[in-house]
Each structure stands twice: as structure tokens, then as C-alpha cells.
Amino acid sequence: MVDIMSYTTDLIKNVSIAGHGQTGKTTLFEHLLFAGGVIPKAETVESGKTTGDSTPEEIERKISIHAALAHIERNGKKINLFDTPGSSDFTGDVILTFRASEFAILTVDARSGVQIETIKLWRNLERRNKPRGFFVTKMDDERADFDKALQDIKEKFRVEPVAITLPIGAGPNYRGVIDVLNEKAYFVEGDGSAVEKEGPIPDDYKEKAAAAREKLIEAAAEGDDALMEHYIDKGSLTAEEMHTGLIEALAEHKIFPVFAGVALKNSGLLPFLDFAADIGPNPLTAKDVAFDAEGKELAVPIDPGKAFSALVIKTAFDQFSGKLSWLKVITGKLAADSEVYNVSENKKEKVGKLYICQGKKLEEVHELFAGDVGIVTKTATFKTNDTVSAGDTSINFLHLRLPEPVHSVAVNAVAKKDDDKLGENLIRATEEDKTFRYLFNAETKETVISGMGELQINIILDKIKANQKIEMETHIPSVAYRETITKKSGAEYTHKKQTGGHGQYGKVVLEIVPLPRGEKYQFVNATFGGSVPKQYIPGVEKGVLEAMAAGTMAAYPVVDVEAKITDGKFHPVDSSELSFKLAARNAFREAMRNANPTLLEPIMNLTVFVEEKYLGDVMSDLSGKRGKISGEDSVGGIAEIKAQAPQSELLRYSIDLRSITSGTGSFSVEFDHYAPISGKTAEEVMKAREGHRILDSDE
Ligand SMILES: Nc1nc2c(ncn2[C@@H]2O[C@H](COP(=O)(O)OP(=O)(O)OP(=O)(O)O)[C@@H](O)[C@H]2O)c(=O)[nH]1
Ligand SMILES: [Mg+2]
């Protein structure tokens, strides 16, 4: 085994690189690894050989799909770096790295400024109270403008960002960066394929650098009251005081550091690594949220001094290594070849070898301390979100909260014999990506898979198709319509078969009344004087329930109805539960026909995020989808629209919204209520259901 040092908690820094798609995260990650001495050469995303994008699906599409982890040793610290996908389809893997990191860096393209996905990620980090900053990428672009990017950050996030590095030149004149904190410059070396070179701050940048440093000193003073006094007294801070102040200010979200660079030319990277190593929060400042046995929330500080506990943050399946479980150690330490307890599964688990990784390359270690992230393979029980501990404890870490799926498709194997294998693979995919769901809908008899978008779902299906050689078909899932009544009605029905042998007899007088929306069902026995003996009442209710489940208009389940049996008749020999069931079923159906029945459709709550310029188009598209807008709010150029719309109109909304907004819009959706439909809409639903058999009276 290569003897790789295990770092103690105070020397670990977990940093997530996140941001809008194509802003240069994987390139930054790759070149940071090169500058940090991890890899001998930085590869391009286009070559398909980067450390960050290493799965076949990433190499094929040249975008990141999964979170990647690597580590860099710098100034005696171990920086665990996460590269994350930018497309909102893969947001699950971004958010899991946020939970595992104590610091996040959002990439902002120097030409485009802050883009919509970055705003959403910022909000997520804000909710998690994570210290965060920015890296302004692609400063070599013709239209790169650092000051404009800073201004954009200020406006969109309403914060005062502080520059830790400043670009020297831009576009074709870009030469390097000034490290404002450490008062030096780094220049692009040769054609940019080598590590950047340190040097003095150029004369014509001295003034700008001094002004930026003044701002940084002020920001550092903000970190601590004593420092602030000191600063007011002396008008400055020593380098050491500045470090202390910045560490505190960053951990308490009083500053939002900004970096600039050109990763492709290995520029702006060393000052970033120095900052992450020296100022970036270490895990001792973090608390994970857990539940105790009574379900009470607890904050659990990351603490190497306690007994071992960890959280499974991610599961991946690799062709060679099998199942890989990523663990973040929360307390104590985990040793290789130890027995631990899977609290979530209530089972002991044997941990064999323990790894850390550089992308897909695993490196064996003896132990992992609290705060570190490592990998174990081939465990019998570990799955994402499991709590693991040294012994049986009653503490369970909170599951990662992820957005609800917004896009669903129904899928089945072309060959019936492949259905089971398809199901197994889909379940495995739900384990790898927690935003992906798999459900068999017994009502519509469809296997419905859901996720964050068409791209995510296609990638999952393509992978199964390629690896398992299963041909499949997909279609738009059916909507779960309902039937209900709009007025009170009643009917009586006598079920009678009394020719020869043991007969059947039961008479039911039924009344049905509409219930408020969402109350589903009530059954009342209002018979008196023994007209229907007690033992037959369950049969009556069964008959009502069967009729409701089968529907009368278009074979959709009936909801929001009170069924009351008011009277009936029995025969001392021929009556049975079955006779009453059949009588009740037919009475219900007759009553329903006279109760002005109507179809109900699911109405969804919708929140749409789009750049303001698309607002008009999105609104008119929504009204064409029978949507009702209930609110609109705009912050920093991003509009948030709240609306309600029928589910049937939203089945392809993620595709429609993408095309209206050139791929930038996104939305969340959840079921709200059922609402009646009539006229043409109802006719279409009925027509599509033609051929669906409604039960015969005697079945
Ligand atoms: N000019 C220039 N191009 C860059 C720079 N960094 C990245 N790029 C290019 O930008 C494109 C996207 O880069 P990636 O690193 O894949 O971006 P990403 O943010 O990881 O993309 P997703 O993972 O899909 O969100 C690639 O063509 C890169 O070569 C840079 O510093 N300068
Ligand atoms: Mg990427």
C-alpha cells in the first residue's frame, strides 16, 4: 500500500466547486490538481481525459454528470475538492457536496456574469449557512470583464464581495493575477501549460492592488470586535491579524471572497489554493444535523474526540470496484478493516479497505478522521443517507434534502422478459442519484420514472440500454384523473337470484352526498329497526368501495363522496354478504349517474425561475396551458413566477420551458389539489379512456 498520510480534522478543508453549466468548473478542478502537484498534466474536457469527467457518459457528452472528488496537499493542509455538474438535471450531486463541504466556490463566467443556476445554488448554500465565494473564470475571453462580474455579484446577491485576487489584463492581454492577500503577483508561464510564476506586483497595478488590500483589511477587521478596535486605533492590521480576521469573517459569512483566473492557462490557481488552505473553514466549524431516538433535531459538531460516526453521502456503481460508498466522517475516526454499525439498517457491517480518491483513482488509507471524506467498497448494507457508527446509537443523521422531481416518463422493456432486469437497474439508479425516482403505479399499471429533467432521465436509460442490452420504450405517463359527484342523490337496488337451491337476496337503499374536496370518502350506516342486519353492513361498504374504485364515467376512481345506507331488506335464508355487496355496488352506480358526476384533474403548484427577458414568453405559454399566475417577483434580473396549472398540461413542461428559455429556465412542481373539468377537456379525457371496461352489475 502507498503510505498516504491521514490528515487530522483541523488540517482538512472540504471545498465544493459549483456553478452554472459550462462556466469552467471541471477545467478549474483539473488545473488546480495540476498546480497542486497531483497530476503531471492537465487534460482538456474535450479530450475526455479529465479527472472530473471520468465516466463514459461524461466523456461522451463533454459535460459533468456526477460529483467528483480529489485532494490536494497545500501548506500542510489537505484540501478535498469536489467538482460538480452545472446542469440543473444533476443538482442532486451538487447538493450532496454542499453538505459535505465547509466552503463552496461558485464559478462565474467573466463574460456572461452570474447565471441562473448559480443563483439557485447560492440560495441553497444560504439556507445551509455555508461560507461561500466566487471564482471568475475565463478571464482570457475577448469580452471578459472582471469589474462587471463583481458588480453583477453585488447586484444579484446583495453582498459586498471582496477580491482576494485581481486579474492583470483581460482577454488577449491577460497576463496573470495579483494576490491581494499576500501582496504578490502570479504570471502566466510561457504558453500557460506550466504552473504560474510568482513575481512582484506590476507598477501600473500597484494603486489598484493597494485599494483592494485596504478593502480586504477592513473586511478582516469585521471578523472580530477586538480586531476592529485595533484597526480603528492603528489604521491597519498585521498579516497575522488579517489571517485571523479573515478566517472568522469567512466562517461567519461576513465576507464573500472573489478570485479571478484562467484555469486553461494555469493562472489564478495558487492564490486560490493558499486561501482555501490557510483561510478556508475547517470541519471543526461545522455541525451536522441529526435526530435522536425521539425524533428531536440535534446539532452534531464534527469532533474527532467522540466515538466514530459517519454519513453515507453518495453511492456509485463502478464496473470494476462494484459499489462505492462515499462516507463523510462526522465524529471520531474510521479505521480500515473494522466492524461498524449501520444505524439506519440496524445491521453490523464489515468495512474492509478504506480509500480516498483522485477522481476515479482510489488510494488506500489506514484511517479517516472526522471531517474527512473517504470511500468504502462492496459493503452489504450501505446506501446513501445511512448513518454509520461505532456501536448501536440512537442518533440518525438527517437525510439530504433535495428538490422534488419535475419530469416523469413511463417506461417498459420491449421484451416482457426484460422487465425485471429493467426494474432492478432502475432501482440501482435511484440509489446513485437521489433525485431520480422509480414507481410502479398500480392504478395506471405503468412504471413511472421521475427526475430533474429529460437529460437526466435519458442518460440513465441510455446507460441501462448500453450496459444491459435492454431495449425499452417510453411514453408520457397517464394522468390520475378522478371522478366525483356535484349533488346529492340516492338509489335503491335489489340483488336477487332465487331460482333453485340456495338463493341470493339483498336490498340496499343508498344516499350519496358530495364531500368537500380532498376528504375522499365516508361511509355511514343509517339503517334502523334491523332492516339490514349488522353482519351484512361490511358487505355493503365493500360494494360501495368497489363501485368507487371502478368509477362510472371513465373508469377513474371516485372520490369525495359520503355514502349512506338508509334502508334495505334481507331474506332470512338467501341473504349473504355477497348479495349486499352486489346490491350496494349497483345502487352506488345508479345514484352516481343521477348526482351530476364530473371528472377531476390534478392541479399542480408551480414555481418557475427565469431570466427576466423570458418573463413574457413564459407567462403566455402558461396561460396557453390553462395556468393561473398567482404571483411574480423579480430579484437581480431573475423572475420567480408562482402559478397553478393542470398536471396534464405540464407533462412535458421541463422540455417546453427549456426551449422557451434556451435551457436557462427551471421550475419546481408539486401536487396541490383536484379540480373539476368540463367541456372539451373532459370530453377528450373520456374519449381517451374509451374501451376501458366498467364493471358489469353481476361480476
Ligand atoms: N477560454 C477559456 N475557456 C475555458 C476556461 N475554462 C474552461 N473553458 C472552456 O469552457 C468549456 C466548459 O468547461 P468545463 O470545465 O467543462 O465547464 P463546467 O463548468 O465543468 O461544465 P459542466 O460540468 O457541464 O457544468 C470548455 O470548452 C473549456 O475548455 C478558461 O479559463 N478560458
Ligand atoms: Mg464540469
Side-chain angles (χ1 to χ4, degrees), residues 323-537:
K323 183 170 77 171
L324 304 171
S325 306
W326 295 27
L327 296 186
K328 169 135 184 182
V329 182
I330 309 288
T331 55
K333 70 171 188 185
L334 175 62
D337 296 314
S338 56
E339 191 178 82
V340 296
Y341 193 74
N342 183 341
V343 181
S344 313
E345 286 287 319
N346 237 326
K347 279 185 185 138
K348 283 183 185 159
E349 177 71 61
K350 183 95 187 53
V351 168
K353 287 180 180 168
L354 205 54
Y355 302 93
I356 53 177
C357 65
Q358 300 290 19
K360 66 177 174 192
K361 204 174 107 218
L362 299 183
E363 298 173 338
E364 228 182 302
V365 287
H366 299 290
E367 56 193 358
L368 280 176
F369 288 93
D372 214 345
V373 180
I375 293 175
V376 298
T377 60
K378 300 187 179 102
T379 64
T381 70
F382 287 179
K383 54 187 199 319
T384 306
N385 281 324
D386 279 356
T387 298
V388 183
S389 75
D392 188 1
T393 75
S394 49
I395 289 183
N396 253 302
F397 293 114
L398 193 63
H399 284 198
L400 188 68
R401 256 184 306 228
L402 292 171
E404 288 297 309
V406 295
H407 186 66
S408 297
V409 297
V411 61
N412 61 276
V414 173
K416 191 109 196 65
K417 65 169 177 40
D418 287 336
D419 260 341
D420 286 350
K421 197 153 101 185
L422 176 61
E424 276 165 34
N425 279 276
L426 290 171
I427 288 168
R428 176 181 273 212
T430 64
E431 199 28 51
E432 277 192 286
D433 184 342
K434 286 287 168 192
T435 62
F436 179 71
R437 310 267 173 85
Y438 162 90
L439 187 103
F440 180 73
N441 185 333
E443 184 183 329
T444 60
K445 307 263 186 306
E446 289 170 334
T447 294
V448 179
I449 54 176
S450 317
M452 305 314 299
E454 199 188 20
L455 181 64
Q456 177 201 24
I457 286 179
N458 286 347
I459 286 172
I460 289 171
L461 295 182
D462 283 354
K463 195 168 152 184
I464 296 175
K465 204 181 277 178
N467 293 348
Q468 308 292 333
K469 311 272 175 287
I470 300 175
E471 278 308 312
M472 46 195 126
E473 346 175 271
T474 57
H475 52 273
I476 297 176
S478 315
V479 171
Y481 292 98
R482 296 284 178 265
E483 300 177 11
T484 194
I485 58 172
T486 57
K487 69 169 201 196
K488 185 171 155 176
S489 148
E492 53 178 77
Y493 191 96
T494 308
H495 176 77
K496 192 159 131 183
K497 265 193 187 157
Q498 291 176 304
T499 42
H502 200 296
Q504 296 178 22
Y505 184 89
K507 176 183 172 184
V508 168
V509 182
L510 201 68
E511 197 179 284
I512 58 173
V513 187
L515 286 176
R517 197 60 62 242
E519 294 213 347
K520 292 195 173 122
Y521 161 74
Q522 233 170 57
F523 178 76
V524 179
N525 176 11
T527 56
F528 55 90
S531 55
V532 178
K534 244 187 20 227
Q535 72 266 32
Y536 300 136
I537 296 296

Side-chain angles (χ1 to χ4, degrees), residues 159-224:
V159 296
E160 194 61 46
V162 290
I164 306 296
T165 61
L166 290 174
I168 305 172
N173 301 319
Y174 178 88
R175 288 192 288 141
V177 295
I178 295 164
D179 180 344
V180 177
L181 176 59
N182 298 305
E183 298 185 281
K184 53 189 167 187
Y186 287 91
F187 296 95
V188 175
E189 175 67 359
D191 66 354
S193 59
V195 178
E196 58 199 315
K197 258 235 155 57
E198 207 182 301
I201 298 174
D203 284 344
D204 49 340
Y205 275 86
K206 284 213 162 110
E207 212 171 298
K208 218 175 165 189
R213 188 165 167 83
E214 200 52 42
K215 249 187 103 177
L216 191 58
I217 294 174
E218 269 174 47
E222 297 270 355
D224 182 305

Side-chain angles (χ1 to χ4, degrees), residues 22 24-27 45 52-53 58 62-65 83-86:
Q22 297 293 299
K25 297 174 294 293
T26 303
T27 307
V45 170
D53 292 350
E58 291 172 313
K62 317 244 179 288
I63 58 165
S64 303
I65 294 170
D83 176 29
T84 67

Side-chain angles (χ1 to χ4, degrees), residues 181-183 213 237-246 279:
L181 176 59
N182 298 305
E183 298 185 281
R213 188 165 167 83
L237 294 178
T238 64
E240 203 174 303
E241 286 168 339
M242 238 175 121
H243 262 84
T244 319
L246 286 175
I279 313 284

